[in-house]
Amino acid sequence: MMKFRFRRQGTDPQREKIKQELFAFNKTVEHGFPHQPSALAYDPELQLMAIGTKAGAVKVYGAPGVEFTGLHKDTTAVIQIHFLQGQGRLLSLLDDNTIHLWELTTTAPRQVGGVRRECVVILQELGSYSLPGRPGIESCSTTRVTVLLLLRSCDLLCIGTEGGGVFFLDLPNLTLKDSQTLLQDRVTQSLPEDYRCGKSLGPVESLQEHPRQAGQILIGYSRGLVVLWDVSSRQIHQFFLGKQQLESLVWECSGNLFVSSHSDGGYSVWTVADGNANNQQPVSSTIPYGPFPCKAINKILWRTTETGSPVLLYSGGMPRASYGDRHCLTIQQDKDHVTLDFTSRVIDFFTVHNVEQQKEFDDPSALVVLLEEELVVIDLQTPGWPSMPTPYLAPLHSSAITCSCHITSVPPKLWERLVNAGKAQQGHGHTPRSWPICGGENLAPPPKQQELLLTGHEDGTVRFWDASGIALTPLYKLSTANVFHTDCDPCDEPQDPSDDPDMQQQEEEWPPFRKVGCFDPYSDDPRLGIQKISLCKYSNKLLVAGTAGQVIVLGLSDECSDHTVDVSVVDLLQDREGFTWKGHDRLEPRLKPAPFPAGFQPQVLVQCMPPASVTAVALHAEWNLIAFGTSHGFGLFDYHRRNAVLARCTLHPNDSLAMEGPLSRVKSLKKSLRQSFRRIRKSRVSGKKRTITAPTSKVQEANAALAEHEEMAPIQRRIEPRSADDSLSGVVRCLCFADTFLRDGTHHGPTLWAGTNSGSVYAYALEVPGVGSGRGSERGVAGETAACVEAVLGKEIQLMHRAPVVSICVLDGRAKPLPDPYEASQDLASAPDMSNPHSVLIASEEQLKVFSLPKVSAKTKFKLTAHEGCRVRKVALVSFSSTAQEDYSEHTLVCLTNMGDMHLFNIPGLRPQVRYDCIRKEDISGIASCVFTRNGQGFYLISPSEYERFSLSAKVFTEPLCSVTLARLSQPTLASDGTTALPQANGTHKNQMGQAEGRAEEPPSSLSSPVSDTPLDSPLSCADTTLESTGELTVEDVRDFLTTVDEEENNLKNIQEEEGRPAGILIN
C-alpha cells in the first residue's frame, strides 16, 4: 500500500468562511498607567485630560471608558500639550522642537473580522510646524521652544523661545505671523538703564494670558523680568523688575495681581496697577521652607475661594540639605498646610475649577497630579484634602508585577464580596466624591459577565482588577506579608499612636509631610514575591505561591479575624543524599495569632523544602487538594485534612544548578553559559562523526533505530535531542488535576499530572474518599473509614527530545476540555463525556501531541519547532464563538511562541488554523507575561505599567465605544478604536503609524495563513526601549533569543539539505 506522507490540503471555501467567523486578531485597548509620561493638559469645557509620553504617544481620557490614542511619526518625547478648549483639538510640542495639531475625527466604515464597524473616531494629526532659525545664526538654540500659550480665542498660539523671543502662530493654519513677533532686543531697549547691566534676559520661562482682558499676556524671562504685553497694540504696558531667577507665573482670577515662583524656593505676589510702568518691588515675597537654601518652586497655582482665603499650590521648594530628594507638592489655605510626599517625580499638575468669566471665584474642587509612575487626585472640597480612588490609570506596577491570572464569568456573589472588601480597605483615607474628569459618555453596553485580572507582585501582594470593560479598575488588594515575620511588622507590637512619642513628633514635624499615592517600588523582602496564583471562583478558595517556596491556601471571609495560620513543611528532596541547598532561607512564619482584614484570609501555609521558588501550582477545591512544584520536585497536599499526600523529587544527579536558588542568579548564569559552550563543542565533534552507542534498554534501542532510519520531511528542521543532564532539568513546569481513565478503560477517577523541564510527564492515580468510580469506591466501608487521600504512580512518559513540558490538558470523549471543579456537579457546565475514550494533550516547547488514554499511545502531533522554527512559550484551550451562528463554537488550542506569534490549532486533530503576529520577538518580558482568557482574549505587558489587551476572536472583544460632543461638529460622534487597528502607544500594529499621521490606509487582514510570513514592520519595533523584567524569566527565554552562530549554521545546513531532498513516499 502506498500513501503520501505529506499531502497538501486543498483550501476548503466553507472552512475558510467558518474561520473568518471565528477568528480575528485585534489589539483593542491598553490598560494601566502610561509608561514614562512627560506632559499633561486639561480641557475644562469638555472635561477631558491628555497625557503625553516620552515615546511620542498622546492619550486622551474622559469618563471611565472614554479613551483616545494618537502616535507621532517619530518616537520623540512630548514636552507640552495644550487643548483648544471645546473643539476636540490639541497641540503637542515635541522634544525635536516641532509643534503638532491633533483633532478627533471620524473615519469611513470598514469591515473588521467579518463585522461592519461604523462611525469610528480616532485622534488624528492635522499638521505640524517648526520654527525657522534666525538668519545669519547657525545654531537653532535661540528658536528652541520653551513654552507655549494658547489664547482663549484659540486662534493664536504664543511661542516662547530659548533666545528670549516670542513668536505668534495662526491657528488652525499653523502659519507664522511675522508682524507679531516680539524679540528680546525690543524689550531690553525699553528697560531702565540700571536693570539692563549688559546681561541677557534669558529664555522665556512662562506665558500667561490676562484672565479678564483678552490679548494681554505676561511674559516671564529666566532672569526674573516679567513684562505685560498687549498683543493687539503690540505695546508693553508694564515691567515687573524681578531679581530672582524665574520658574513660573500664575494670574489671580480678578487680574489685579499675579504670583511668580523662583529658583530659591520662594514666591512673590505682584500687583498690576495702571500708570505704574516699572514695578520694582512685589507686594510680598515668601520662602515657605526657609531660611536655609531650598530647591526651586517649579510651578505655582493661586486659586481663589468663596470662603475667603485663597488656595496656594506649588511643587518643589523643599529644604535642599534635608529634603532635597523628596518629590513634594504643597497645598496651603489660611492655617491649613499639607506637603504631599510622593514616591516619584512630579511631571505636572492642574486644578479642576470654575473657568467661566462671570464667576467671581475659582472655587477649586480637585487637584490632579501627574507623577512619573502614577496619577494622584486630591479632593479640595473635603476637609483634610483626602485623595480620590482612580477608576482608571491605576499604577499596575505599584510593586513590580511577577505573575498574572485571568478569571472569566465571576459569580455575582463573589464579585459583591470582593467589592465590599475593597471598599473596607479604602477607609477614611479616600473621599466618596465622584471622579472629576468626566468628559464624554461611555456608550458601551454593560458587560455580559464580570471578569477578574489578578496580578501578583514583588512585595507579596495580589491585586484584583475589574477587567470587564475598557477601564481596568482596582477592586481589592491582598497582602501575604502578615503571614510571616518581616523587617517591619505592624503586628508585632501594636500600640496606641497617641502613646508613641515618635508618632507625636511626626505629627509636629516640619514640613508637614503626608504620604500620598500607592506606587512603592521597594520590597521589604524579595522572598515575599508572588510567583503563581490559582482561584476557584465557586468555592472562593485562593492558592498563592511565592519565591521562597511558600504555598498559601486562603478562604474568603466578610469579617475581620485574629487567628493562627496552620503550617506544614513538605520535603521535596525526600532525604536524597548529595544535594545541599545554597540559596535563600525560608520565610519565618508567624506563630502567634495575627489580625487579618475582611477578604481573603490565610488558612494553611505549606512550606516547600528546600525553599526554592514555586514554578507551578494546581488547585482542585472539590477534592480539597493542591499541587505545587519547584525546581526540585512536586508535592500534593490535602488542605482539608492538613495532610501531605505526596512528595516526588525530580532532580537529576547532575542537576546541581537547581540547588543555588534564584538569588544567586549571576553564578547560575555563568554556569549555564559554560555548560552551553561545552554542549556546542560536543555537538561540533559529534556532528562530524556520528556514532550510535550501545543502547541500555530495548526502548532506547528502538528509539535510536527509528531516529536513524526515519527520513526528515522536506519542510522540517532537524531537532537535536537535549541532554538528560541539562541544568534545571528537574524544574516542574506544569501541574494538572483531571477526572479521567488512567488505570483501565472502565474506571475513571481523580488523577494528577506533572510535566518537567526535561520532558518527563508523571501521572498519578488518586484515591479521594467519596470521589470517582475507581477501585477506591469498591472498597466500601473500609475506604470510608480510612478518609485519607492516596496517590499511586500510574504512568511515566518521557518525551523523545526531552523538551520542556509547557502544558498538560485532559480531553473528554468529545475532545473537549474537562470542566472546572464544581462546574459539572452544580450543573454550571455540561458534564464531560465519560462513555468514549479520553485523551491527553501534552504541549512541549517543540511539539504538540495528543495521546489516547489509558494506554498513552500517540494519536496526533504537530512538530512546531520542526515546521516553524520556534518554541512554545504559552498554551491555552480557548472556546471561540461564531459571529454568524449563535450556537456554534469551537475549542481551539492557542500557542504563543518565543517569536511572539500566535498559532491556532483545532483539537484533537492539531491542524493549523491561523497565525498572527502579536508581540515583538525582542520583547521577552511581554512574551513571558502573556495570559489568555477562556473566550479568546489576552493580556501582555508592553511596559512595566501597561497591559496590552488583544482579541483572537471575531465575536468577543473589548473596545472603547464612547461619544464626545464637540463645538465644531454638528452631532455627537461615536468612537470605536478597538478593532480598527488604532494607534497603540507601545503596540506593534503594521498600520498604526498611518492612522496616527492621518494618512489613508488599507484595513488589516483579519486572517493570516499558517505558513505566511507577516513580519512586524512597525517603526516602534526598533525603538530603543528598555523594559523592566516582568514575569518569571528562565534561562531558556534568553538562550533562544541569543542564538549562537553555530546553531544558525546548523539550521541553515539542515534547511539546505532538506530543500535539495525530493518529497518522500512512505510504502507500508
Side-chain angles (χ1 to χ4, degrees), residues 717 864-865 868-874 895-903 915-924 927 988 1013-1016 1037 1040-1041 1043:
R717 293 164 176 81
L864 192 66
T865 303
E868 304 292 338
C870 53
R871 294 180 180 177
V872 178
R873 282 289 173 258
K874 302 280 183 177
C895 292
L896 172 64
T897 71
N898 64 323
M899 306 301 289
D901 50 3
M902 301 281 183
H903 296 258
R915 182 181 72 86
Y916 301 114
D917 291 323
C918 182
I919 311 174
R920 291 182 297 112
K921 64 180 181 180
E922 298 86 1
D923 188 3
I924 303 176
I927 296 174
T988 53
D1013 185 17
T1014 315
L1016 299 178
D1037 292 325
D1040 56 32
F1041 179 62
T1043 308

Side-chain angles (χ1 to χ4, degrees), residues 2 242 270 439 491 517 950 958 996 1025:
M2 299 176 59
W270 302 79
C491 303
F950 63 89
T958 303
T1025 305

Side-chain angles (χ1 to χ4, degrees), residues 890-912:
E890 288 186 9
H891 282 90
T892 304
L893 180 69
V894 179
C895 292
L896 172 64
T897 71
N898 64 323
M899 306 301 289
D901 50 3
M902 301 281 183
H903 296 258
L904 277 66
F905 302 88
N906 72 338
I907 53 173
L910 297 181
R911 285 187 293 272

Side-chain angles (χ1 to χ4, degrees), residues 826-1026:
Q826 297 184 7
D827 296 329
L828 300 171
S830 58
D833 183 5
M834 293 294 182
S835 58
N836 295 312
H838 286 195
S839 55
V840 58
L841 170 62
I842 299 177
S844 72
E845 283 192 357
E846 296 177 357
Q847 70 177 0
L848 313 170
K849 204 165 188 177
V850 176
F851 296 88
S852 62
L853 291 177
K855 292 184 178 180
V856 194
S857 58
K859 294 174 64 178
T860 56
K861 66 180 177 180
F862 185 85
K863 298 179 180 180
L864 192 66
T865 303
H867 284 275
E868 304 292 338
C870 53
R871 294 180 180 177
V872 178
R873 282 289 173 258
K874 302 280 183 177
V875 170
L877 283 173
V878 176
S879 176
F880 288 92
S881 300
S882 172
T883 58
Q885 307 176 44
E886 288 293 331
D887 56 346
Y888 183 77
S889 64
E890 288 186 9
H891 282 90
T892 304
L893 180 69
V894 179
C895 292
L896 172 64
T897 71
N898 64 323
M899 306 301 289
D901 50 3
M902 301 281 183
H903 296 258
L904 277 66
F905 302 88
N906 72 338
I907 53 173
L910 297 181
R911 285 187 293 272
Q913 301 299 301
V914 291
R915 182 181 72 86
Y916 301 114
D917 291 323
C918 182
I919 311 174
R920 291 182 297 112
K921 64 180 181 180
E922 298 86 1
D923 188 3
I924 303 176
S925 298
I927 296 174
S929 63
C930 185
V931 58
F932 296 102
T933 72
R934 294 286 183 89
N935 55 14
Q937 299 188 78
F939 303 81
Y940 68 93
L941 287 171
I942 54 176
S943 74
S945 59
E946 289 175 290
Y947 271 111
E948 176 77 75
R949 187 173 190 145
F950 63 89
S951 175
L952 301 169
S953 171
K955 185 175 182 179
V956 180
F957 45 83
T958 303
E959 60 172 355
L961 184 64
C962 51
S963 69
V964 178
T965 303
L966 305 176
R968 60 182 174 83
L969 294 181
S970 58
Q971 59 183 1
T973 57
L974 293 178
S976 173
D977 60 345
T979 59
T980 55
L982 286 193
Q984 303 285 322
N986 294 296
T988 53
H989 243 296
K990 294 177 64 177
N991 299 322
Q992 64 186 19
M993 299 311 298
Q995 281 188 325
E997 298 169 7
R999 296 193 299 251
E1001 62 176 20
E1002 294 294 327
S1005 173
S1006 61
L1007 291 176
S1008 97
S1009 170
V1011 295
S1012 65
D1013 185 17
T1014 315
L1016 299 178
D1017 58 357
S1018 165
L1020 291 183
S1021 299
C1022 59
D1024 187 13
T1025 305
T1026 303

Side-chain angles (χ1 to χ4, degrees), residues 508-527:
E508 299 172 358
E509 72 173 340
W510 182 261
F513 290 116
R514 183 206 294 174
K515 287 286 185 183
V516 181
C518 59
F519 177 73
D520 185 10
Y522 307 107
S523 175
D524 296 333
D525 196 325
R527 297 175 296 174

